[in-house]
Amino acid sequence: TATQSSPYSWSAVNDGSISVAAGAALQLATSFAGNAAFTDGGAIVNGGSISMATSSGAATWTQSGGSLSGNPVVLGNGTTLADSAGTGQFTLEGNTAITGTIPAGQTVTAEGQANGTTLSLKSATLVDDGSLVLDAPGSGTSSGGPLIVTGGGIQDNGSLTAQVDDPSWMIH
């Protein structure tokens, strides 16, 4: 189900199934200064790439159940992962946010990017019942970067991993 609430904002709900073939891409983005909202409660098979990002406005991926298999969904700059249920893998790149609960059977990886990355917890406690990976990858100024977690706390009931490839990068 897809709806457009203004000329620049949209929302969509998956209660069925979505399949992205190898070599194909599904890009969910805002337009101009609008907002984008995608809610997944169905099944997604990601053999290619699925991404969501915004250059202005706000974007939210709500994972409220269902399953995600194959490649991780990449959520980029300006996107919030509102998590509560479901399996699969998400990669958060750029300045992103996460709220809710990472459920058992799900992995969320936040990756530092060049010039630094902020992962906002939106002044709340993130509950990790699955797997949360905080990654400051790369080396030097050509790849990767620091990861800074702000605005809340993490209650870890699952697996929490902090990885730093280059000692000049950090995770705060």
Side-chain angles (χ1 to χ4, degrees):
T1 306
T3 59
Q4 186 170 354
S5 57
S6 78
Y8 306 110
S9 296
W10 62 266
S11 65
V13 176
N14 173 33
D15 284 327
S17 63
I18 296 173
S19 181
V20 177
L26 174 60
Q27 296 178 329
L28 305 170
T30 61
S31 124
F32 190 56
N35 297 320
F38 180 79
T39 300
D40 180 38
I44 296 177
V45 177
N46 185 12
S49 70
I50 300 174
S51 63
M52 182 179 221
T54 179
S55 57
S56 63
T60 302
W61 179 297
T62 301
Q63 186 66 22
S64 61
S67 63
L68 170 62
S69 61
N71 298 320
V73 169
V74 177
L75 302 179
N77 207 39
T79 303
T80 297
L81 172 59
D83 210 351
S84 64
T87 61
Q89 298 179 61
F90 292 89
T91 300
L92 308 180
E93 298 178 341
N95 296 322
T96 56
I98 185 170
T99 62
T101 299
I102 300 170
Q106 188 181 101
T107 299
V108 175
T109 302
E111 288 188 352
Q113 302 290 302
N115 301 317
T117 297
T118 300
L119 175 64
S120 172
L121 302 179
K122 295 201 161 199
S123 300
T125 298
L126 173 67
V127 177
D128 175 22
D129 290 335
S131 179
L132 176 60
V133 179
L134 305 174
D135 188 14
S139 63
T141 58
S142 62
S143 66
L147 175 65
I148 301 166
V149 180
T150 65
I154 299 172
Q155 177 184 325
D156 182 38
N157 304 323
S159 170
L160 175 61
T161 304
Q163 303 173 162
V164 178
D165 294 341
D166 183 332
S168 65
W169 297 134
M170 64 202 136
I171 296 175
H172 290 278

